[in-house]
Amino acid sequence: MKDLLRLLIYGGGAALVIGLLSLLATGRLVSANTLVVLAVLLVIVLPVVLGVLLGRRERLQRDKSAE
């Protein structure tokens, strides 16, 4: 159940980011270079950082419960 919830949150976040980037691209609110940097940060870097943080937190909780 925990994995399903995490998948739904990740999918919803990805849809939100895609919508935001599409809105910025069609409205020409930012330059193309800025849009590329935002896309890389939001789609590649942010999920990796969040995954590492969640993994560390789960490992700490598992270690505490094992003691």
Side-chain angles (χ1 to χ4, degrees):
M1 184 67 176
K2 192 176 189 180
D3 292 333
L4 180 61
L5 180 63
R6 190 173 292 161
L7 177 66
L8 290 174
I9 290 171
Y10 183 76
L16 185 69
V17 167
I18 290 170
L20 176 69
L21 291 174
S22 297
L23 184 72
L24 290 174
T26 56
R28 301 195 191 279
L29 299 174
V30 294
S31 68
N33 291 335
T34 306
L35 194 60
V36 169
V37 170
L38 280 173
V40 168
L41 287 175
L42 292 173
V43 175
I44 297 172
V45 175
L46 186 64
V48 170
V49 170
L50 288 176
V52 168
L53 291 176
L54 287 173
R56 284 184 182 175
R57 187 177 74 179
E58 286 181 2
R59 188 171 2 135
L60 287 174
Q61 288 176 350
R62 199 174 332 127
D63 291 343
K64 283 183 182 178
S65 65
E67 293 176 353

